[in-house]
Amino acid sequence: MKNFLKRANRGLILGAIVLVGFVAFVIADTAAFKKNKPQIETAVTDYLDALSECAVTSPSKEEFQKKADKLMADYWCTGNNGSNSNYYFYNITNYRNELETAAEEIYSEKSKGEKITKWNAKPSNFSITKAGAGYARVTFTCDITAEFQGNPYLVTPCEIWKISDFLYRESESEENVPSKFSLEIDYEFNMKQTDGKWKVCSAESWGWCEPTITVLDETAEGGNE
């Protein structure tokens, strides 16, 4: 009986040591990840800033392609790299394909005169959680504004659609009249830390508000700002 109790007590002590060690590890891991949150938020903001280079219509297809290649190399993970398996998520392959498809039409003769002249994205309401070793799940709201003519492709953080495709009604911008497009949309990114830098592995959008389009008054001072 005494031997049994000794073994039982020894087991309880070892179990308690393992539990304490596990709790200590979780606390340390959570604290370490918390330090990464500002870096992750900055990585998303930097990605959006770099995206503006592709979003504004380049003078040529070659220049656009050069900017797109740099964007993918600097801010997206190669391969799946833990991307969410959800059908609606874009990974690097999906997004690159959309860029290439859009480029074919953007620089075709039939799209002449259709262009994005200014583009800006302001992220807010960040929520960042750990999603496995070296991974993070990031949700945020993004206000996207763009000045454009015609019905061009609009580059966003994970979709590239015609302006008219974002509308629930027939496009208001069929003529080449300078106009401004505004859209509030929520995103979820799955991100991975690669060589000390956080990159996008997959991206999804949902819950956008109906966009607004206003015609710019070119005669008014500062009308294109």
Side-chain angles (χ1 to χ4, degrees), residues 89-138:
F89 270 75
Y90 284 75
N91 61 21
I92 188 171
T93 302
N94 305 139
Y95 197 63
R96 191 190 299 277
N97 289 342
E98 291 230 340
L99 284 169
E100 291 175 355
T101 299
E104 288 298 323
E105 189 166 334
I106 289 170
Y107 299 99
S108 67
E109 189 63 29
K110 67 178 182 178
S111 295
K112 192 174 182 179
E114 296 186 340
K115 58 185 178 181
I116 302 290
T117 56
K118 290 186 179 181
W119 187 95
N120 186 52
K122 293 182 179 179
S124 61
N125 301 326
F126 279 92
S127 174
I128 302 171
T129 56
K130 189 176 177 65
Y135 288 91
R137 182 165 294 111
V138 185

Side-chain angles (χ1 to χ4, degrees), residues 9 20 23 26 43 48 93 100 106 110 148 151 164 181 219 224:
N9 289 336
V20 169
V23 171
V26 170
L48 296 176
T93 302
E100 291 175 355
I106 289 170
K110 67 178 182 178
F148 68 98
N151 184 29
S164 58
F181 174 96
T219 62
N224 280 330

Side-chain angles (χ1 to χ4, degrees), residues 34-48:
K34 189 175 181 179
K35 292 179 181 178
N36 281 315
K37 288 187 176 182
Q39 297 175 24
I40 295 169
E41 187 171 325
T42 297
V44 172
T45 302
D46 288 347
Y47 169 61
L48 296 176

Side-chain angles (χ1 to χ4, degrees), residues 5-189:
L5 290 174
K6 285 181 179 179
R7 287 197 298 271
N9 289 336
R10 199 175 294 126
L12 289 172
I13 292 170
L14 289 174
I17 291 172
V18 171
L19 179 60
V20 169
F22 176 74
V23 171
F25 169 79
V26 170
I27 292 173
D29 189 53
T30 300
F33 180 75
K34 189 175 181 179
K35 292 179 181 178
N36 281 315
K37 288 187 176 182
Q39 297 175 24
I40 295 169
E41 187 171 325
T42 297
V44 172
T45 302
D46 288 347
Y47 169 61
L48 296 176
D49 289 342
L51 191 60
S52 65
E53 292 293 313
C54 289
V56 173
T57 306
S58 299
S60 67
K61 184 179 176 182
E62 290 72 24
E63 185 174 331
F64 173 84
Q65 192 62 58
K66 190 181 297 184
K67 291 176 180 177
D69 289 344
K70 180 172 174 52
L71 179 81
M72 305 310 288
D74 290 348
Y75 295 98
W76 281 79
C77 297
T78 56
N80 287 327
N81 284 309
S83 297
N84 193 305
S85 60
N86 189 319
Y87 174 80
Y88 297 103
F89 270 75
Y90 284 75
N91 61 21
I92 188 171
T93 302
N94 305 139
Y95 197 63
R96 191 190 299 277
N97 289 342
E98 291 230 340
L99 284 169
E100 291 175 355
T101 299
E104 288 298 323
E105 189 166 334
I106 289 170
Y107 299 99
S108 67
E109 189 63 29
K110 67 178 182 178
S111 295
K112 192 174 182 179
E114 296 186 340
K115 58 185 178 181
I116 302 290
T117 56
K118 290 186 179 181
W119 187 95
N120 186 52
K122 293 182 179 179
S124 61
N125 301 326
F126 279 92
S127 174
I128 302 171
T129 56
K130 189 176 177 65
Y135 288 91
R137 182 165 294 111
V138 185
T139 61
F140 62 97
T141 299
C142 194
D143 290 318
I144 298 173
T145 58
E147 293 183 15
F148 68 98
Q149 290 182 204
N151 184 29
Y153 276 93
L154 180 75
V155 173
T156 77
C158 74
E159 298 107 351
I160 304 165
W161 296 347
K162 287 274 195 177
I163 288 281
S164 58
D165 293 335
F166 286 93
L167 304 172
Y168 295 114
R169 57 187 182 281
E170 191 173 342
S171 174
E172 302 171 5
S173 56
E174 293 179 358
E175 297 180 5
N176 285 354
V177 176
S179 303
K180 184 175 182 179
F181 174 96
S182 299
L183 173 69
E184 181 182 285
I185 186 167
D186 294 322
Y187 288 99
E188 180 176 321
F189 285 2

Side-chain angles (χ1 to χ4, degrees), residues 29 33 36 40 77 81-82 129-137 190-201:
D29 189 53
F33 180 75
N36 281 315
I40 295 169
C77 297
N81 284 309
T129 56
K130 189 176 177 65
Y135 288 91
R137 182 165 294 111
N190 191 53
M191 302 186 73
K192 178 184 179 183
Q193 192 174 31
T194 305
D195 297 327
K197 183 175 181 178
W198 287 92
K199 293 189 174 185
V200 180
C201 292

